[in-house]
Amino acid sequence: MDGTEPRLVDDLVRHLVSELREYNGLRVPAARLRLRAAIHHGPVELADNGFAGTAVVATSRLLSSRYLYEALKVHDAADLALLLSDDVYRSTVAGGHTTLSVADFRRVTVREKEYEATAWLQVPGHDVQGLRTVGTVREQSPAPLGGDPTVRHDYRGEQISVNNFTAPVDMRGGVVGFGSAGG
């Protein structure tokens, strides 16, 4: 912790929200880019297939949390669903070191595989306090986000692909996404 963490969390969230709003403002609803994001910190090691270490595992588990999927499902106008690890939340948001509001976050318990930890959920511009817990969110219409009933938006955490970038990446005009014949 060298003082840059609060700025990273604050700036990253604000810039993501702003860029997603601008990008999606030029798209039809079915072509919107919606992101799940997780922020955690800790030491990492270079490995043959990217990065390794407990911080990488924790971040991956946060990112694959059902809370992020359900938050985007319930708040279909949202472009971003965010989970902060408890350590990051307490040292940045709860510590008063960001412009992010404590009232905009909801405490959740993430249980993914062997991982269990407290995390803090935020959907910028949307209320997450009333979001039901995992497994109790009622199903919405079969065709959310643009009306195409062939598009699936259900949880498929076992199919997550994680990309690690070791240098700045300019995604303006880029398209990120992976799909398969199975949906």
Side-chain angles (χ1 to χ4, degrees):
M1 293 283 294
D2 63 0
T4 59
E5 184 181 35
R7 181 148 185 225
L8 170 75
V9 171
D10 199 349
D11 290 351
L12 177 66
V13 173
R14 284 187 298 105
H15 287 289
L16 269 175
V17 170
S18 175
E19 291 295 323
L20 284 168
R21 184 179 304 121
E22 181 179 335
Y23 179 85
N24 288 334
L26 303 173
R27 305 292 180 283
V28 296
R32 285 178 41 225
L33 178 62
R34 303 177 80 211
L35 296 180
R36 293 172 293 110
I39 302 175
H40 180 60
H41 67 85
V44 298
E45 304 164 0
L46 284 176
D48 291 339
N49 61 348
F51 294 98
T54 58
V56 175
V57 171
T59 305
S60 296
R61 298 300 182 251
L62 292 172
L63 188 60
S64 63
S65 167
R66 182 81 174 165
Y67 286 105
L68 292 175
Y69 287 93
E70 289 193 13
L72 288 175
K73 186 183 227 179
V74 170
H75 300 293
D76 61 348
D79 296 325
L80 176 68
L82 170 70
L83 271 177
L84 298 181
S85 70
D86 193 48
D87 289 342
V88 169
Y89 173 82
R90 290 181 184 285
S91 65
T92 59
V93 179
H97 300 289
T98 70
T99 61
L100 302 174
S101 172
V102 171
D104 292 335
F105 286 83
R106 176 179 171 211
R107 183 178 191 254
V108 296
T109 300
V110 174
R111 291 178 185 95
E112 292 291 326
K113 297 185 179 181
E114 75 291 344
Y115 180 83
E116 182 174 332
T118 296
W120 295 86
L121 176 67
Q122 183 201 36
V123 179
H126 299 272
D127 178 25
V128 294
Q129 301 307 326
L131 188 64
R132 295 183 183 108
T133 57
V134 172
T136 62
V137 175
R138 65 180 165 77
E139 290 296 318
Q140 292 188 345
S141 66
L145 298 179
D148 184 351
T150 64
V151 175
R152 292 177 40 193
H153 299 284
D154 56 329
Y155 176 71
R156 295 186 306 265
E158 70 280 355
Q159 298 175 356
I160 290 175
S161 174
V162 176
N163 295 298
N164 296 306
F165 299 99
T166 58
V169 177
D170 184 351
M171 292 301 299
R172 288 177 288 190
V175 176
V176 177
F178 301 94
S180 67

